Amino acid sequence: MEEWYREVGQLQVQAASIPQQTQIQGTVVERQAAVETRMARLIEPLKERRRLLLASKEVHQVGRDLEDEITLQKELEGHRSRIEDVLERAGIIASIRSPEADCVRAGHDQLAQLWALLWAETERRQLILDAMYQAQQYYFDTAEVEAWLSEQELHMMNEEKGKLLKKHLLLEQTIEDYAETIGLLSQQCRQLLEMGHPNSEQISKRQSQIDRLYVSLKDLVEERKSRLEQQYWLYQLNREVDELEQWIAQREVVASSPELGQDFEHVSVLQEKFTEFASETGSVGQERVTAVNQMVDELIDYGHSEAATIAEWKDGVNEAWADLLELMETRAQMLAASHQLHMFFSDSKEVRL
């Protein structure tokens, strides 16, 4: 990273020396900004990776120390029988009243005291190392949990399209299931606090930080879910509106036909077909327009962020539908008039004959 920073500095110097041509300079600035942005995005993941590695290293170091202490305890345990045998024999001799026994008695007391101190110190060190190991393991676990939560938080902040709602719901369930991991971490924290760990205050603050981060992430999940749901339903409504407007436009072509029939039989056929067309269009169209209006009203009542745009779509559909109904009424009247006219001509022919 340090080497890359030096190269970025060199690029900045080169960029400053480029002739001030608008197009070239604009491209250079854009490319330079892109490089700096990518560098900035790498910094936090690298810091997080370093923190995880340091925590892992500390866990392994404490583990090795524990192994050393366990080895020492095994060695001491191996000497226990020897020490006890020597103390027992020295105790027998110390019970004899003699100048030689006084020396043995003093040695016996000194050895017993040193052995007791050594064993007590070994046990104390074992307890301290156990506590250190548990604390370091807790810190390592919290680092991993925090890294995962932070990664999901960044993912939540990204703008996504409504079609990814299903994918978001799966991710939401994953985050919900992660509560078990948070619970186990909280249990580790309580155990460390109950045993009176010297870093109890720091551990407690760390757990509070993780809990707040998880709650914040769940809030982001809900916000993003609401945003994606709005985008999804906006997409669905837009598709319905587009399809309905195309359907209305196709029907308008038929309703605006200028064909009025060449004779009485022809106009009668046209009138019969148009009556069927108008009946079908009226029932199907009204059903579809009602469905779109209902969807729009529900989204507006829900408080959709694009309520103004949705209302405009609704007005456009209703206007197009009203225009189509008017066209069909006009077409029906024109066919009726043509029918009457051709009927008059037909009757007139019969009278002349």
Side-chain angles (χ1 to χ4, degrees):
M1 286 295 293
E2 291 175 355
E3 180 63 29
W4 287 350
Y5 270 118
R6 283 195 292 270
E7 292 182 9
V8 169
Q10 295 172 3
L11 288 174
Q12 291 174 341
V13 174
Q14 294 177 21
S17 64
I18 293 177
Q20 299 296 317
Q21 299 180 17
T22 303
Q23 183 176 1
I24 296 177
Q25 190 69 18
T27 303
V28 169
V29 171
E30 182 179 345
R31 294 292 298 277
Q32 182 179 340
V35 170
E36 292 176 355
T37 299
R38 293 181 66 185
M39 290 281 291
R41 289 177 179 173
L42 281 173
I43 292 175
E44 287 304 320
L46 283 174
K47 287 182 178 179
E48 190 62 37
R49 178 62 176 164
R50 180 176 184 273
R51 192 152 63 91
L52 283 173
L53 288 174
L54 288 176
S56 177
K57 176 185 176 183
E58 188 63 29
V59 170
H60 289 299
Q61 181 60 52
V62 174
R64 286 196 294 270
D65 292 343
L66 280 171
E67 291 177 0
D68 292 342
E69 291 299 321
I70 291 173
T71 301
L72 177 59
Q73 282 198 347
K74 288 180 178 179
E75 292 178 358
L76 290 176
E77 191 65 34
H79 281 77
R80 181 192 288 270
S81 58
R82 171 66 176 168
I83 296 295
E84 290 176 350
D85 178 64
V86 170
L87 289 175
E88 183 180 0
R89 288 160 51 204
I92 295 173
I93 296 176
S95 62
I96 301 174
R97 294 186 176 183
S98 67
E100 293 83 359
D102 292 340
C103 181
V104 172
R105 187 181 305 109
H108 171 275
D109 294 342
Q110 184 178 10
L111 177 60
Q113 183 180 7
L114 289 175
W115 175 250
L117 288 174
L118 177 60
W119 193 257
E121 179 63 20
T122 302
E123 290 181 339
R124 188 185 70 83
R125 282 177 54 82
Q126 181 65 37
L127 291 174
I128 292 175
L129 284 173
D130 284 341
M132 288 177 59
Y133 179 77
Q134 293 181 33
Q136 293 302 328
Q137 185 63 53
Y138 172 78
Y139 291 145
F140 178 72
D141 292 341
T142 54
E144 283 192 322
V145 168
E146 186 176 21
W148 189 87
L149 294 176
S150 299
E151 180 184 351
Q152 303 309 311
E153 188 175 36
L154 289 175
H155 186 64
M156 288 299 108
M157 293 178 180
N158 290 334
E159 291 295 331
E160 302 288 357
K161 299 298 181 182
K163 62 182 180 180
L164 295 182
L165 178 59
K166 183 176 181 181
K167 181 179 179 181
H168 172 82
L169 293 177
L170 294 175
L171 180 59
E172 180 183 15
Q173 186 59 49
T174 300
I175 293 173
E176 189 68 30
D177 295 341
Y178 206 73
E180 183 178 353
T181 301
I182 301 296
L184 292 174
L185 203 59
S186 179
Q187 184 177 352
Q188 287 181 255
C189 176
R190 286 195 301 271
Q191 290 175 350
L192 290 170
L193 296 180
E194 289 172 359
M195 68 184 295
H197 195 279
N199 295 332
S200 294
E201 183 177 355
Q202 180 182 355
I203 292 171
S204 181
K205 289 181 178 179
R206 186 71 172 145
Q207 184 62 40
S208 298
Q209 181 182 1
I210 293 296
D211 292 338
R212 287 195 301 270
L213 184 59
Y214 184 65
V215 172
S216 175
L217 176 61
K218 293 190 68 174
D219 290 341
L220 282 175
V221 168
E222 287 299 319
E223 293 174 5
R224 185 170 183 262
K225 178 183 178 181
S226 176
R227 187 169 63 252
L228 288 177
E229 285 178 339
Q230 290 195 19
Q231 291 176 352
Y232 171 79
W233 287 113
L234 185 66
Y235 170 78
Q236 294 294 329
L237 176 61
N238 186 35
R239 187 177 65 179
E240 290 291 332
V241 169
D242 285 345
E243 290 179 356
L244 181 53
E245 288 179 340
Q246 291 176 15
W247 183 84
I248 291 175
Q250 293 170 358
R251 297 282 163 160
E252 285 179 343
V253 173
V254 178
S256 60
S257 172
E259 179 62 54
L260 296 176
Q262 299 173 1
D263 51 36
F264 179 72
E265 289 76 12
H266 187 203
V267 73
S268 297
V269 172
L270 290 177
Q271 194 174 32
E272 181 181 355
K273 289 184 177 180
F274 185 76
T275 300
E276 294 178 0
F277 167 82
S279 176
E280 178 190 357
T281 300
S283 60
V284 174
Q286 188 59 57
E287 182 180 348
R288 295 184 65 177
V289 169
T290 300
V292 167
N293 286 336
Q294 182 179 354
M295 185 182 296
V296 168
D297 293 340
E298 289 176 354
L299 290 178
I300 292 176
D301 292 341
Y302 177 76
H304 199 286
S305 59
E306 299 293 335
T309 300
I310 293 172
E312 291 179 2
W313 291 353
K314 177 183 178 181
D315 292 341
V317 167
N318 288 325
E319 289 175 6
W321 176 240
D323 291 342
L324 175 58
L325 292 177
E326 185 177 349
L327 276 175
M328 290 194 300
E329 179 64 25
T330 302
R331 173 67 174 162
Q333 292 174 1
M334 292 177 64
L335 285 173
S338 179
H339 183 269
Q340 292 294 327
L341 180 62
H342 283 291
M343 179 182 291
F344 173 76
F345 290 151
S346 177
D347 293 343
S348 297
K349 286 181 181 180
E350 290 181 0
V351 170
R352 286 198 300 271
L353 291 174

